[in-house]
Amino acid sequence: MKSEVMTRRRILKGMGVAVATLPLARLVAACGVGTDPIDDLDTGVAPDAGAGGSGWATGGTAAMTQAASYPDPFAAGIGTVCALTCEATLGPCYATTVERQDISEGENGLPVRLALLVVNEQCEPIPGATVDIWHAGPGGLYSGEDASDFCTSGDAEARAARWFRGVQTTDAQGRVNFDTCFPGWYSSRTIHIHFTVRVDGSEFVTSQLYFDDALNDDIIDTQPLYDARGPRDTTNQNDTVISGDAVADSLFQTERMADGALLAWKTLVLRSSLSEAQCAVPGGSGGGGGPGGPPPGGGGMGPPPDWDGGMGPPPGGEGVLP
C-alpha cells in the first residue's frame, strides 16, 4: 500500500489544469462587519486564464505570478465586534515547524495565499504574535518524520519533507501571509488547516480553519492532483471534529486572483489573557475527532481523523476537544 501512495505522488506531479471553475458564494467573516474590499468574487478571470484554459492555476506557488498585486483583504477594516476564536483539537499531525512564508517546498498543487490577521476582542491588532500552521498536501498526507505515521502513511517522501508547515510573526498590523497549496482530503475529515497562535511564547489558541464546501467540491472534482482520487467522503456538514452548525464561524473568505491563485483570509481573535475562559468548537459527528477511518494509505485515503493519539491536549489547551 505504501508503494501505491509513493507512485501516485510521483505520477501526479506536473500534471496540467483541468476544467474551468464554477462561481463561488461569498463567505461570511467570523470577526466583525465592515466593508469587503474585494467587490467581485470571480475577479473577472478570462476563460483562457491559467494553464489549460482554466481559471485556476496549477504548479504550486511558482504560479503566483501576480502576488505583488494581490489586494489586502483587511484594508477596509474588520468592524467593531470581534468574536473569540474557539479551540479545536491539535490532532496527531503537528511536527517541527519552519519560519517562512512559502511553506510549499516547491510541491505541486493549486497555489494559495493565506492572509491571517490576529486581533484582541476589542478588534485591535496584536503585533509580535507567532502563527504556526500545518495541513495535508494535495494527496491527503502530512509531512515530517516526527509526525505520527497515521499522518504520513509511512511514505518516504512525506517523512523526509517538511512541506505545508510554517510559522511567522505578526507585523505591526497583526498580519501574516503564508503561500501554500490547497490541502487535499483524507477519510472522515473535511478539508482543513491547523493553526496555533502564541503570544510571548504562550499558546493562546489552537484550532482549525475550513473552506466553503462549494469551493472544496469545485477543486476536488476538477483540478489535477485533487481529482485523481475521486470525491471526498466528508464535508463540512458531517466532519468528525466540528459541528456543521458551527463551521461557518471558522470558514476562510476566499477570492480567485487574476493569475489563478486562491486568496483566502481570516481574522483570528485572541482572549485578553490566559486566565480568561476559552471557548471550544462544538464537536462533529465523530464526537470531536475520535479514532476512525481506514488505515493510512488505505485506498489512497490518507490518515484517519485528528484524534488525540495519546498526545494529550495542546499545552494550555483547557477545554480543548479530544
Side-chain angles (χ1 to χ4, degrees), residues 2 5 92-95 140-156 158-160 165 294-298 301-305 307 309 311:
K2 170 178 165 184
V5 176
C93 297
Y94 184 80
L141 298 180
Y142 290 82
S143 66
E145 80 285 346
D146 51 337
S148 166
D149 275 348
F150 280 116
C151 307
T152 63
S153 191
D155 178 83
R159 285 178 54 81
R165 301 183 182 277
M301 304 290 278
W307 64 293
M311 297 172 64

Side-chain angles (χ1 to χ4, degrees), residues 121-256:
E121 291 180 89
Q122 289 72 50
C123 299
E124 299 166 335
I126 301 177
T130 59
V131 182
D132 190 350
I133 72 169
W134 64 102
H135 65 80
L141 298 180
Y142 290 82
S143 66
E145 80 285 346
D146 51 337
S148 166
D149 275 348
F150 280 116
C151 307
T152 63
S153 191
D155 178 83
E157 290 184 55
R159 285 178 54 81
R162 193 63 53 181
W163 31 251
F164 307 124
R165 301 183 182 277
V167 63
Q168 287 196 83
T169 301
T170 57
D171 62 17
Q173 287 72 48
R175 171 82 177 266
V176 293
N177 289 333
F178 290 96
D179 293 336
T180 187
C181 297
F182 195 79
W185 65 272
Y186 54 88
S187 184
S188 73
R189 285 306 319 276
T190 193
I191 294 172
H192 62 283
I193 291 179
H194 294 265
F195 70 91
T196 292
V197 182
R198 298 179 178 89
V199 179
D200 295 330
S202 296
E203 179 196 335
F204 271 67
V205 64
T206 291
S207 197
Q208 301 177 27
L209 295 173
Y210 306 89
F211 298 90
D212 182 70
D213 268 332
L215 175 63
N216 290 331
D217 288 339
D218 178 40
I219 293 172
I220 295 298
D221 292 347
T222 68
Q223 299 305 302
L225 298 183
Y226 303 93
D227 65 352
R229 296 169 58 224
R232 57 202 175 106
D233 65 3
T234 308
T235 70
N236 293 344
Q237 296 306 305
N238 65 344
D239 187 56
T240 55
V241 167
I242 189 169
S243 165
D245 295 334
V247 73
D249 293 333
S250 300
L251 287 176
F252 283 105
Q253 288 183 272
T254 58
E255 185 78 23
R256 189 178 65 193

Side-chain angles (χ1 to χ4, degrees), residues 86-131:
C86 295
E87 292 268 2
T89 181
L90 176 74
C93 297
Y94 184 80
T96 302
T97 192
V98 182
E99 184 175 353
R100 56 189 176 180
Q101 176 171 327
D102 189 331
I103 65 174
S104 70
E105 295 191 354
E107 288 292 299
N108 202 352
L110 192 153
V112 179
R113 163 68 56 84
L114 298 177
L116 300 172
L117 179 65
V118 181
V119 302
N120 60 26
E121 291 180 89
Q122 289 72 50
C123 299
E124 299 166 335
I126 301 177
T130 59
V131 182

Side-chain angles (χ1 to χ4, degrees), residues 20 45-55 258:
V45 176
D48 61 351
S54 171

